């Protein structure tokens, strides 16, 4: 983000994901447990009842030093809220509540100030691993300088190679 408004600004960068961690959201949601991990400034999620991928742990993290967070989709969206206009964007901080029994999500909100002409980059990362230890190691690794951009480039390369394997040319435009 770059402040070109001509005056100092206080803004928030907000990232949001809805957890499924299984096949169908409404079936899996009651079983998802979230927890906050301050080492990577992120929320980890697991579904202990997922028999297809037992033990898997997902994470959503942010490289900002100061954030607020929630694992409750209802809090993020607000009363009668929708993903296109979430109620939390009208607040400067979230409740920092995670755990079981919520409509699960991961929402991270990073407030920061920008002086006139100042620029700041905030990186959100999403990943999953075989277990909690590997998820933490992966989350830490993508927070190293340049690692998230390298991972994104690698993902683009992978999909370009996979989807570009077959080329079809016809005489029709």
């Amino acid at each position: 983000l770059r402040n070109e408004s001509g005056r100092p600004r206080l803004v928030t960068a907000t990232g949001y994901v809805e957890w499924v961690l299984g096949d169908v959201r409404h079936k899996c949601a009651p079983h998802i447990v979230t927890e906050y991990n301050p080492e990577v400034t992120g929320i980890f999620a697991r579904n202990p009842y997922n028999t297809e991928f037992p033990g898997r742990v997902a994470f959503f993290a942010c490289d900002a030093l100061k954030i607020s967070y929630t694992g409750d989709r209802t809090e993020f969206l607000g009363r009668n809220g929708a993903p296109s206009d979430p109620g939390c964007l009208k607040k400067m901080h979230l409740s920092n509540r995670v755990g079981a029994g919520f409509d699960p999500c991961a929402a991270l909100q990073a407030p920061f100030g920008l002086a006139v002409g100042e620029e700041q980059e905030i990186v959100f990362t999403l990943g999953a691993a075989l277990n909690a230890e590997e998820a933490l190691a992966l989350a830490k690794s993508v927070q190293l300088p340049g690692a998230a951009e390298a991972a994104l480039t690698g993902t683009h390369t992978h999909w370009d190679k996979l989807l570009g394997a077959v080329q079809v040319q016809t005489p029709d435009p």
Side-chain angles (χ1 to χ4, degrees):
L1 297 171
R2 180 191 308 262
N3 182 3
E4 297 179 352
S5 70
R7 61 187 172 103
R9 302 295 300 230
L10 179 61
V11 297
T12 60
T14 304
Y16 170 75
V17 296
E18 291 184 11
W19 299 119
V20 177
L21 305 182
D23 54 357
V24 181
R25 181 172 161 41
H26 72 272
K27 185 173 85 174
C28 297
H31 307 294
I32 295 174
V33 180
T34 58
E35 64 182 89
Y36 177 72
N37 187 308
E39 284 185 72
V40 292
T41 321
I43 294 178
F44 285 59
R46 60 186 167 78
N47 179 352
Y49 292 96
N50 184 338
T51 57
E52 306 239 356
F53 301 102
R56 299 281 172 107
V57 176
F59 66 87
F60 185 59
C62 179
D63 68 350
L65 297 176
K66 179 183 173 191
I67 68 162
S68 62
Y69 56 89
T70 186
D72 183 4
R73 182 175 177 260
T74 303
E75 176 188 350
F76 177 80
L77 296 178
R79 184 180 171 142
N80 302 320
S84 61
D85 184 25
C88 87
L89 294 183
K90 297 170 182 73
K91 301 177 182 179
M92 287 302 291
H93 60 83
L94 299 169
S95 69
N96 296 343
R97 293 185 316 160
V98 290
F102 296 116
D103 185 0
C105 78
L108 306 174
Q109 194 170 58
F112 57 96
L114 286 174
V116 176
E118 185 180 7
E119 183 176 314
Q120 185 163 346
E121 180 178 77
I122 304 289
V123 177
F124 292 93
T125 54
L126 176 66
L130 295 174
N131 56 49
E133 293 79 24
E134 288 185 23
L136 180 58
L138 178 59
K140 285 180 177 180
S141 74
V142 294
Q143 287 188 336
L144 296 172
E149 189 172 340
L152 183 60
T153 300
T155 301
H156 287 165
T157 302
H158 168 77
W159 282 106
D160 288 345
K161 182 178 176 184
L162 185 68
L163 298 176
V166 176
Q167 299 274 331
V168 177
Q169 294 181 351
T170 69
D172 292 334

